[in-house]
Amino acid sequence: MPELDSSLAGEWKFDPAHTRIGFSTRHAMVTKVRGAFNDVEGTIFVDVDEPTNSSVKVVIQVASIDTRNEQRDQHLRTNDFFDAPHYPEITFVSKRIDQVEDNSFIVNGELTIRGVTKEIAVPIEFVGVEKDPFGNLRAGFEGSRRIDRKDFGVNWNAALDSGGVLVSDRILLEFEVSAIKTPADGGSGQGAQQS
């Protein structure tokens, strides 16, 4: 397997202003509802010599859910769905990262929703690395993974006259991550919130 670019070595932090952790699901059997979480933190550690020692941790604030409809968002925060008051965070902690091609990885880890933890494997593409106008070294990653929400105790639904259901059990998780390299001195990058 090709070696990773040595510039990737070290710790990277998600830039929330340029990162999207989203989802989509079928609604009423005929359309899709898309949404995202606006409050996300994440850290990536890259070991270029041994990629399997690399790691990822993501923490999502459930109350930040945004589907562009406040009434629906409020419902999603209730016990019918995510139960944000009792389970305020969704977390993902990697257990192993496997490089499958030059810029393709499988991130295996534990996803916790509503206090239920399941192991999932997420295919991730490394998009590239560039220095931005503020001097930050910035890397991009993209990926998606379909899960069954009922595996995590998110069971609410409503029957349709046709015999179908209002909300699909299958949810597509979508990851579009912009991460900034943490300087060796431990400081934070500059200009992370700029356009």
Side-chain angles (χ1 to χ4, degrees):
M1 200 58 63
E3 291 185 5
L4 293 175
D5 186 330
S6 61
S7 67
L8 288 172
E11 185 183 70
W12 300 72
K13 290 190 179 297
F14 286 18
D15 174 8
H18 299 97
T19 291
R20 178 178 180 272
I21 306 294
F23 58 88
S24 66
T25 187
R26 189 67 66 181
H27 179 262
M29 312 292 288
V30 294
T31 59
K32 285 184 179 178
V33 168
R34 290 181 170 87
F37 295 93
N38 294 327
D39 189 346
V40 176
E41 294 181 358
T43 304
I44 302 168
F45 176 76
V46 179
D47 184 333
V48 296
D49 296 321
E50 187 54 62
T52 56
N53 291 334
S54 300
S55 62
V56 179
K57 181 176 181 181
V58 183
V59 179
I60 297 167
Q61 300 301 320
V62 172
S64 72
I65 196 167
D66 183 359
T67 64
R68 300 185 303 125
N69 181 293
E70 183 57 31
Q71 184 176 358
R72 179 169 55 221
D73 295 344
Q74 290 290 357
H75 189 199
L76 290 169
R77 294 178 186 118
T78 70
N79 187 49
D80 283 347
F81 288 95
F82 291 108
D83 195 4
H86 294 103
Y87 303 102
E89 294 180 343
I90 294 171
T91 62
F92 176 80
V93 179
S94 68
K95 294 297 184 185
R96 189 180 77 254
I97 298 177
D98 298 320
Q99 185 176 7
V100 292
E101 291 182 8
D102 286 18
N103 294 319
S104 298
F105 302 85
I106 300 293
V107 180
N108 302 275
E110 293 182 339
L111 177 65
T112 301
I113 302 174
R114 282 185 63 121
V116 177
T117 301
K118 300 283 185 180
E119 188 159 330
I120 66 170
V122 182
I124 293 289
E125 292 291 324
F126 168 56
V127 179
V129 61
E130 293 286 345
K131 183 167 284 191
D132 69 21
F134 308 98
N136 301 304
L137 199 59
R138 187 181 289 271
F141 303 89
E142 294 180 352
S144 62
R145 170 62 200 252
R146 200 171 297 277
I147 64 170
D148 188 328
R149 64 188 177 93
K150 286 189 172 181
D151 288 345
F152 298 89
V154 184
N155 298 317
W156 185 90
N157 225 325
L160 301 175
D161 290 344
S162 67
V165 291
L166 186 63
V167 183
S168 172
D169 292 338
R170 303 290 285 171
I171 308 293
L172 181 66
L173 302 179
E174 302 160 335
F175 307 93
E176 298 162 19
V177 175
S178 179
I180 293 176
K181 181 81 171 286
T182 302
D185 62 10
S188 59
Q190 298 299 309
Q193 299 299 321
Q194 301 296 321
S195 298

